[in-house]
Amino acid sequence: MKGIDDLDVSGRRVLLRADLNVPLDASGPGEPRITDDGRIRASLPTITKLTGRGARVIICAHLGRPKGDGYAERAAGGPSLLPVARRLGELLGRPVAFAGDAAGESAATVAAGIADGDVALLENVRFEPTETGKDDAERGAFAARLAALAALYVGDGFGAVHRKHASVYDLPGLLPHAAGDLVLAEVAVLRQLTTDPAAPFTVVLGGAKPSDKLGVIANLLGSVDRLLIGGGMSYTFLKAQGHEVGHSLLEADKIPQVSAMLEEAARLGVELVLPVDLVAATHYAPDASHDVVPVTAFPADREGVDIGPATRELFAQKLSDAKTVFWNGPLGVFEFPAFAAGTRAVAEAITQVGGLTVVGGGDSAAAVRSFGIPDDAFSHISTGGGASLEFLEGKTLPGLTALEENA
Ligand code: ADP
Ligand code: MG
């Protein structure tokens, strides 16, 4: 894959596909508030490298999941990237021009008006329904409208590279292109995890649903030494082992697959560690009453919301001698402070590991930051949950393939 150093960007318009898909809190009055600007910060090195070389940087990005049939309906419903433009301007210490549409008249005017070293941000690219379209010709036609705004393309939106979308997949085919520094860094770390990771290689998986992660488990079983499973997805594993799980999250249709996976892990000599105790709450609420119970005695009328103290200790001990760690998915409902202890304990245990430590997943990254743990306590916090999981599943990522081709 070519990098920015391989492009002559000085004085030229560069369309930069970035991942600025930050979580928003729209519950207050007025403009939605950015609750974690990690993805904006992670995009800064590529932006400043380009502006430092005199490029005219036109950023294209998506935000949230706009709904509606046409552009107008989606734009009216939001979310707009305007608060992101403002935050980006603050972090860059310079104004960011904002186009009121994704690839229309305003985008053309803004693109024509910026000078060498300037930065502009286009409105939410997913306001354009064909950005994510299934029809190749329609998607290609939209990509051509974006291509008309610039002379060069830089792909740096790692969190979207697993998507076959116009701005990610079709656009690199229309302009001379390179990968941005963030994409190159993310890929380098994931390659380290998939090619000969230092042993013991310990993977911690949590989060809501096993269906999101079974592919990763299947692909990693051949290289991982220990697999620690907690969070919402662990109840399907516990159920597969015959335990009562009450009203906890459960994907009953995945039990056969999970049972097969438990057998496969045993056959390959992978140590698969499940919770030994759980926090059982009366219901899903921040102030629900709760008790710690062993997995062998889970009350049928309760819901599991966190790993228990014995499991926290067990997981920390299983991590203590690791040389490579990948962690994806909170170990409990960390959004409720009463049920965040398991996720916090695992995060802290990983910061003590001497070796390569990688955190993947938007909620996992948000959890780490909510605990006040600095990003540099880990080797790498991936900006792309879905993208990093699909990479580790061994899937081909369309956005990376497009950047590799005809660069
Ligand atoms: P990531 O974004 O890091 O990949 P996921 O999206 O897979 O993580 O999962 C995050 C969600 O899983 C969080 O919102 C968290 O509340 C939820 N979760 C974790 N454990 C449980 C549980 N025991 N019951 C319900 N939800 C859970
Ligand atoms: Mg998530």
Side-chain angles (χ1 to χ4, degrees), residues 206-209 212-213 230-235 248-249 284 303-307 328-335 343 360-365 385-386 389:
K209 294 183 292 180
D212 293 342
K213 326 247 158 130
M233 66 180 286
S234 65
Y235 299 94
S248 307
L249 277 185
Y284 183 89
E303 170 171 346
V305 288
D306 198 5
I307 52 174
N328 171 285
L331 286 304
V333 186
F334 76 95
E335 296 92 338
T343 305
D363 292 297
S364 309
L389 285 176

Side-chain angles (χ1 to χ4, degrees), residues 51-277:
T51 55
R53 293 178 186 190
R56 305 176 177 201
V57 182
I58 302 158
I59 305 174
C60 164
H62 75 278
L63 185 63
R65 296 173 186 272
K67 294 197 176 62
D69 289 335
Y71 187 95
E73 202 181 322
R74 290 184 176 209
S80 168
L81 273 168
L82 185 58
V84 172
R86 214 168 280 140
R87 183 78 189 115
L88 178 60
E90 285 166 15
L91 292 168
L92 286 170
R94 56 155 70 207
V96 169
F98 186 67
D101 55 34
E105 267 176 46
S106 178
T109 306
V110 166
I114 59 170
D116 297 358
D118 278 353
V119 179
L121 176 62
L122 307 175
E123 182 53 290
N124 193 345
V125 70
R126 290 198 189 160
F127 287 171
E128 291 279 353
T130 46
E131 158 71 359
T132 59
K134 292 276 176 282
D135 184 289
D136 289 351
E138 279 180 15
R139 229 182 35 243
F142 173 56
R145 285 170 52 207
L146 285 171
L149 298 171
L152 302 167
Y153 175 88
V154 170
D156 207 29
F158 181 73
V161 292
H162 58 315
R163 305 291 189 199
K164 197 176 169 184
H165 293 168
S167 67
V168 176
Y169 174 74
D170 301 273
L171 193 47
L174 303 177
L175 293 173
H177 55 266
D181 288 3
L182 177 63
V183 159
L184 292 176
E186 295 268 10
V187 169
V189 168
L190 292 169
R191 287 226 170 100
Q192 261 184 285
L193 289 178
T194 47
T195 36
D196 217 11
F201 179 19
T202 302
V203 170
V204 187
L205 293 177
K209 294 183 292 180
S211 51
D212 293 342
K213 326 247 158 130
L214 289 176
V216 181
I217 299 177
N219 203 47
L220 287 179
L221 276 183
S223 61
V224 74
D225 299 294
R226 271 184 203 138
L227 185 55
L228 317 184
I229 296 180
M233 66 180 286
S234 65
Y235 299 94
T236 305
F237 283 79
L238 293 168
K239 183 86 177 173
Q241 291 191 327
H243 295 297
E244 170 68 59
V245 298
H247 301 304
S248 307
L249 277 185
L250 179 69
E251 285 189 326
D253 60 323
K254 292 290 178 297
I255 290 174
Q257 221 177 322
V258 161
S259 301
M261 216 153 248
L262 286 165
E263 277 171 34
E264 179 71 358
R267 198 180 63 78
L268 292 168
V270 173
E271 189 183 357
L272 197 149
V273 188
L274 289 169
V276 292
D277 63 346

